[in-house]
Amino acid sequence: MRTWRVGTFSMGASLVFLGLFLFFSKFLGLELVQVMTAWWPLLLVVLGIEILLYLFLSRQEKPVLKYDFLSIFFVGVIGMAGIAFAIVSTTGILDKAEEVMAREERSFELPAFSYQMNDSIKRVVVRTVDHQMTVESTNEKQVSMFGTYRVQTSKKGELLKNAEDMVSANQKGDTLYLSMKSLPNEIGPFHANGEVAATLLIPNDVKLEVIGSDNSLILKPRSLVNDWSIERASSLAINVPAKGNLKIAAVGVGEVRGKDGDWKVTEVKTADGIDNGRKDAVYQSGAGKYHISITDAYDISLQTNQ
């Protein structure tokens, strides 16, 4: 007579149920994580039913439960895997891992920004963050910004909804303060950086001060009729017209590049006469009426346009 050992039926039924769940998950669009999280409680139900059936169908006056420990071991392993999925799922780590796996690199346009200037504004102060920016003068009487950004995301929609997500503008007295913002991002092991390429248009008749964050800047002064000052740029590219009325003075820079004769370079030395690897450089076109002052920058390249 064959002996019924508790666990054999549970293992068989568990494998059948797991197979059915995985099979129908393909049609229902369920992920493996969802299947394992929702399926494992059935193991307890099946094992409990098997014990009750054994006790009910046993003809012994005092039935003694006999277990198939190998079957119960495999059932336990499958059950523990399901429990582990459920526990980890409650922490949000699995959701974040799924999101990371679904990420794609996408490019979007920056929300258009514009600020109408009036005669009371004489100066614009721009505080940048760690992304590339082009600053260009314009004849228009407004400050505007446009460009693109690239991020790794699993979302189809744009990360930035409006211009306030990227820049804040505040007028105090005769000065307009513009503060750039970094792309929204989460801190943690799944952190991914985004890239921004923005162009900022500044009226050519107002004074401009740009405070960098050791980022890359491109300057296009064009028809400049006021002074600019630039601080803390890791690399600075300047496009100037061949015929202009501009003077560029860079203090304490590391590298200066351009055509031969563009720059007048002076090596900077310490008080005891030792070369410290820094240079002062001056470029001038025409009478040099309008000035661009550069401080605390490492690399400057100059390109003259015909």
Side-chain angles (χ1 to χ4, degrees):
M1 180 177 177
R2 185 173 59 180
T3 301
W4 184 358
R5 292 183 178 272
V6 175
T8 53
F9 175 78
S10 298
M11 184 180 70
S14 300
L15 294 176
V16 170
F17 280 123
L18 179 58
L20 290 175
F21 264 85
L22 293 175
F23 177 77
F24 286 109
S25 66
K26 297 297 182 180
F27 300 98
L28 299 176
L30 300 178
E31 299 293 337
L32 177 61
V33 174
Q34 295 173 309
V35 173
M36 293 300 295
T37 302
W39 168 83
W40 72 268
L42 286 177
L43 292 174
L44 302 178
V45 176
V46 172
L47 186 58
I49 291 175
E50 183 177 5
I51 293 174
L52 292 175
L53 286 175
Y54 177 82
L55 294 175
F56 179 76
L57 298 177
S58 177
R59 297 180 181 179
Q60 301 176 14
E61 183 177 350
K62 293 182 179 180
V64 178
L65 292 175
K66 297 180 180 180
Y67 296 95
D68 187 332
F69 290 102
L70 183 60
S71 298
I72 292 178
F73 172 77
F74 283 112
V75 171
V77 170
I78 299 174
M80 290 302 296
I83 294 173
F85 272 102
I87 293 175
V88 176
S89 180
T90 59
T91 64
I93 295 178
L94 286 180
D95 294 335
K96 178 57 67 174
E98 289 181 7
E99 178 186 339
V100 171
M101 294 298 294
R103 279 181 181 175
E104 295 180 0
E105 193 169 80
R106 303 176 186 273
S107 296
F108 303 96
E109 290 188 2
L110 288 172
F113 166 80
S114 64
Y115 190 96
Q116 191 64 42
M117 300 287 284
N118 54 55
D119 294 337
S120 66
I121 300 177
K122 307 298 183 182
R123 183 174 71 127
V124 176
V125 177
V126 179
R127 186 176 294 275
T128 68
V129 289
D130 55 349
H131 54 65
Q132 178 179 308
M133 174 172 287
T134 299
V135 182
E136 185 172 343
S137 70
T138 177
N139 294 323
E140 297 180 356
K141 296 300 181 181
Q142 68 176 6
V143 175
S144 57
M145 188 177 73
F146 58 90
T148 60
Y149 65 97
R150 185 172 60 200
V151 292
Q152 290 185 359
T153 179
S154 59
K155 300 177 181 179
K156 302 294 183 181
E158 297 182 358
L159 190 63
L160 304 176
K161 302 299 182 182
N162 48 59
E164 287 73 19
D165 293 335
M166 197 62 196
V167 58
S168 64
N170 294 283
Q171 182 179 347
K172 301 293 183 181
D174 65 350
T175 302
L176 174 63
Y177 294 91
L178 299 178
S179 296
M180 305 301 161
K181 302 177 183 179
S182 299
L183 290 175
N185 217 326
E186 297 181 0
I187 299 175
F190 303 108
H191 175 78
N193 292 321
E195 296 182 3
V196 178
T199 297
L200 181 65
L201 301 181
I202 301 291
N204 58 3
D205 59 348
V206 298
K207 187 175 181 180
L208 173 67
E209 297 178 18
V210 178
I211 304 173
S213 59
D214 295 324
N215 55 323
S216 299
L217 293 175
I218 300 174
L219 302 184
K220 296 182 178 181
R222 299 176 65 186
S223 56
L224 190 64
V225 291
N226 211 318
D227 296 338
W228 286 6
S229 67
I230 313 296
E231 300 178 22
R232 290 185 59 195
S234 62
S235 64
L236 192 61
I238 310 173
N239 297 330
V240 296
K243 296 180 180 179
N245 195 11
L246 185 66
K247 181 178 181 180
I248 302 174
V251 178
V253 298
E255 297 291 336
V256 178
R257 293 194 295 268
K259 295 180 180 178
D260 291 340
D262 281 347
W263 293 100
K264 293 182 179 179
V265 179
T266 303
E267 299 293 337
V268 178
K269 298 183 179 180
T270 62
D272 53 0
I274 299 175
D275 187 356
N276 63 3
R278 292 286 177 169
K279 307 175 181 66
D280 293 343
V282 176
Y283 164 85
Q284 182 169 323
S285 62
K289 181 179 180 180
Y290 305 110
H291 294 182
I292 296 180
S293 302
I294 302 171
T295 57
D296 198 13
Y298 179 76
D299 181 275
I300 300 178
S301 63
L302 181 71
Q303 180 179 354
T304 54
N305 302 322
Q306 300 297 327

